[in-house]
Amino acid sequence: GTKKKAACPGLGLFYTVLSAFLFSVASLFLKKIEDVHSVEVSAFRCVFQMAFVLPGLIYYKTGFLGPKGKRIFLFFRGFLGSSAMILLYYAFQVMPLADATVITFSSPVFTSLLAWIFLKEKYSIWDLLFTLFAITGVILIARPPFLFGSKVTGIEGSYTDHLKGTIAAITSTVSAASTFVILRKVGKSVHYFLSIWYYAVIGLIGCVIALFVMNEWRLPYCGRDRVLLILIGILGLGGQIFLTKALQIEKAGPVAIMKTMDVVFAFILQILFLNHLPTWWTVGGALCVVASSSGTAIRKWRQSLKKAKQNEI
């Protein structure tokens, strides 16, 4: 018989690092765009995703609505996922790149908390400790005046914008964690392409309505911004594809740990291309958030390995 070709060791982790790099560069380009609202950038991103997913839906014959019993879950997955994207893009525009990235990186901690509330999954004292670490990290980055005084350094623009960006980033993180819980609830009964399709369609509809209400719909004035919009869509889509491929060939635990490269790339790009040195408060907050999310990922990974061994026995 023919020998099965062995998988390349570490390929899944390489895909994770590549995904983190593409997402980080897309965030950098978002900071470079001058006259385009974050909601309009999100609309362009949704158009790119729809163009990519549509051939897949036709090829796999999944339909456009999904199973009847799962449509309500798919709707909320699309609504919460697209809301998380819009809020994240807004946070990137009004606060330092590394600060927004670190806050959104606390998503695994909130996922564990929401899974305990809605899916009745186990929530131990370790999970509570990791949650407190993540909250501490967010506080160090937000630096509210009633704790740190009226003079807050190391931010972009006014503290009001910094606070708005922090609230947007936290809300984005909770929304993203909610989508993970919904996807866990749906399981493998719905094709991955259909999940992205709902995300893109509902996001595009919401963005268009919001842009007309705010009267912010306009094409970029200069060619550079138009090129950056296209690159953001391509890089965001590429990052999502490589992250999906990583999860297909590698366990979720190592992938979640390797995703800490998101934070590393954000710090490097912010220093090199935005000339903005992070403060020690931001570094301390980043360490707290990375420690909590990595601890959560390692613990979930060990639990899955233990369960797999018990099933073998």
Side-chain angles (χ1 to χ4, degrees):
T2 58
K3 291 183 179 180
K4 187 177 179 180
K5 186 177 180 181
C8 177
L11 184 60
L13 299 182
F14 171 74
Y15 282 154
T16 307
V17 174
L18 184 57
S19 168
F21 178 73
L22 293 178
F23 280 134
S24 298
V25 175
S27 304
L28 174 66
F29 288 162
L30 181 62
K31 296 285 290 183
K32 291 291 186 180
I33 290 181
E34 297 176 354
D35 298 319
V36 183
H37 198 278
S38 58
V39 179
E40 188 171 352
V41 178
S42 303
F44 276 95
R45 168 79 181 273
C46 290
V47 170
F48 269 92
Q49 287 192 327
M50 289 175 63
F52 169 76
V53 171
L54 185 59
L57 293 178
I58 297 172
Y59 178 79
Y60 289 107
K61 300 178 181 179
T62 61
F64 296 97
L65 297 177
K68 285 186 177 180
K70 306 294 182 181
R71 290 174 186 174
I72 185 66
F73 294 110
L74 287 170
F75 171 81
F76 280 109
R77 181 267 184 271
F79 175 75
L80 291 169
S82 57
S83 299
M85 174 183 61
I86 295 169
L87 291 167
L88 177 60
Y89 282 1
Y90 175 77
F92 280 140
Q93 286 188 332
V94 299
M95 67 187 303
L97 180 63
D99 291 24
T101 303
V102 169
I103 292 175
T104 56
F105 197 73
S106 61
S107 180
V109 180
F110 289 106
T111 302
S112 298
L113 181 61
L114 293 175
W116 170 59
I117 296 173
F118 295 105
L119 301 181
K120 309 302 179 185
E121 293 186 4
K122 188 177 179 181
Y123 191 80
S124 68
I125 189 69
W126 282 105
D127 294 310
L128 177 61
L129 180 64
F130 295 142
T131 302
L132 293 176
F133 256 90
I135 293 173
T136 301
V138 172
I139 291 175
L140 291 176
I141 292 171
R143 281 164 282 162
F146 68 89
L147 289 177
F148 293 84
S150 57
K151 293 183 179 179
V152 181
T153 59
I155 62 175
E156 293 179 0
S158 65
Y159 181 76
T160 302
D161 286 340
H162 183 78
L163 184 60
K164 288 179 180 178
T166 302
I167 295 172
I170 294 172
T171 309
S172 171
T173 301
V174 175
S175 298
S178 301
T179 63
F180 289 136
V181 173
I182 292 173
L183 289 173
R184 197 176 295 178
K185 176 71 175 179
V186 172
K188 297 181 179 179
S189 59
V190 175
H191 197 278
Y192 177 75
F193 275 137
L194 193 60
S195 175
I196 300 179
W197 175 255
Y198 267 82
Y199 174 99
V201 171
I202 295 175
L204 180 60
I205 294 172
C207 288
V208 170
I209 293 173
L211 287 169
F212 276 107
V213 170
M214 297 185 298
N215 196 26
E216 288 284 351
W217 182 267
R218 61 179 183 272
L219 286 173
Y221 294 114
C222 68
R224 191 195 72 162
D225 283 353
R226 296 177 186 179
V227 173
L228 290 178
L229 273 176
I230 296 173
L231 290 176
I232 288 171
I234 294 173
L235 291 171
L237 184 58
Q240 197 167 38
I241 291 172
F242 281 113
L243 183 59
T244 304
K245 289 178 70 66
L247 290 169
Q248 288 176 341
I249 62 178
E250 184 63 78
K251 290 182 173 62
V255 170
I257 296 169
M258 190 58 69
K259 268 189 67 63
T260 54
M261 292 301 297
D262 284 19
V263 178
V264 176
F265 285 133
F267 274 97
I268 293 174
L269 294 176
Q270 177 176 299
I271 294 171
L272 291 180
F273 297 101
L274 301 176
N275 297 319
H276 187 94
L277 287 173
T279 64
W280 286 111
W281 294 115
T282 298
V283 174
L287 291 175
C288 288
V289 171
V290 169
S292 65
S293 58
S294 298
T296 301
I298 292 171
R299 192 169 180 279
K300 296 294 182 184
W301 181 26
R302 291 183 63 183
Q303 286 178 345
S304 65
L305 292 177
K306 186 177 180 182
K307 188 179 292 185
K309 288 183 179 178
Q310 289 176 347
N311 293 334
E312 288 178 1
I313 296 172

